[in-house]
Amino acid sequence: MTSPADMAITRIGGRAFHLAGADVDTDRIIPARYLRCVTFDGLEQHVFEDDRAQLNGQHPFDLSENIGRSVLIVDANFGCGSSREHAVAAIQRWGIKVIIGQSFAEIFRGNATANGLVCVDVSEQDHARILHELGKKDSGVIIYLDTLRAELKRSAESMAITMPFADRDMLVGGTYDTTATLLQAGDQIEETASRLPYMVTD
């Protein structure tokens, strides 16, 4: 069984690319017609499907240079709209491990953290600096995130990041997968249940 230490996310990163636009809602991330699926398998094929169709191959998720990049730079209020874990799953299965933005919708961030997809906020000034750097390099800027120190490293430069304390604690402690955490505590749960009079079945 995987331990919390194995699941801890303390340092993560890769090459970055930008998805422009504020208020990108979950229906744009994964259209509602894909919410009927039983599993999340294959959702990555449909991430931003309608937006991608409109841009006819020029959407950032279609550009060949972005394939394999794992850091997504977004603008403000990313993931707004209706709550759907499918949106997180679609992005994550496409290959994104970290999303850096000016702000996130609260429910989207909660779903992301619960699945180990890291969402962090940077200031408007630092966001602009990252975009400026991305604009100069077609090869993509390499960004690493240190969740322990709450900082982002780009080349030799560091930037402060923010995220809710609870999210940071779950990512650093490897306890973001609540089902796995519950299963790991199985013996303790059984022992506690055995001492509860209303749980005795004999």
Side-chain angles (χ1 to χ4, degrees), residues 2-193:
T2 305
S3 70
D6 295 330
M7 296 176 64
I9 300 173
T10 57
R11 182 174 165 79
I12 190 170
R15 292 190 183 277
F17 67 99
H18 181 219
L19 177 70
D23 305 317
V24 174
D25 65 46
T26 51
D27 195 49
R28 289 176 59 191
I29 297 171
I30 187 75
R33 59 185 176 276
Y34 294 109
L35 302 187
R36 292 174 293 178
C37 59
V38 177
T39 73
F40 294 148
D41 293 345
L43 278 185
E44 67 276 12
Q45 300 169 28
H46 307 292
V47 65
F48 294 106
E49 183 168 276
D50 294 342
D51 285 4
R52 292 163 75 176
Q54 289 180 8
L55 292 179
N56 195 28
Q58 295 305 305
H59 190 279
F61 277 70
D62 284 324
L63 299 178
S64 59
E65 62 266 30
N66 291 336
I67 304 299
R69 296 185 180 181
S70 58
V71 179
L72 179 63
I73 311 299
V74 299
D75 297 336
N77 197 31
F78 184 80
C80 59
S82 60
S83 173
R84 56 184 69 171
E85 193 175 4
H86 302 64
V88 170
I91 291 174
Q92 199 170 31
R93 286 168 183 268
W94 190 88
I96 299 300
K97 297 177 181 176
V98 178
I99 306 179
I100 299 168
Q102 293 179 20
S103 62
F104 295 85
E106 185 176 344
I107 294 176
F108 177 86
R109 188 201 294 273
N111 284 331
T113 299
N115 286 280
L117 175 62
V118 181
C119 295
V120 298
D121 304 306
V122 292
S123 69
E124 187 175 344
Q125 293 76 18
D126 284 341
H127 183 265
R129 289 161 63 192
I130 293 171
L131 295 189
H132 178 72
E133 192 70 20
L134 280 174
K136 294 192 300 184
K137 295 183 179 180
D138 291 338
S139 58
V141 176
I142 297 176
I143 294 176
Y144 282 99
L145 188 69
D146 188 330
T147 53
L148 280 172
R149 297 185 176 184
E151 68 179 15
L152 178 155
K153 286 189 177 293
R154 180 176 59 86
S155 301
E157 187 178 18
S158 295
M159 297 178 179
I161 58 169
T162 58
M163 70 172 73
F165 288 119
D167 291 40
R168 179 183 173 277
D169 287 348
M170 285 190 285
L171 293 168
V172 170
T175 58
Y176 51 86
D177 185 336
T178 53
T179 301
T181 301
L182 193 62
L183 290 173
Q184 286 158 3
D187 291 343
Q188 292 173 280
I189 293 171
E190 292 294 335
E191 195 277 329
T192 300

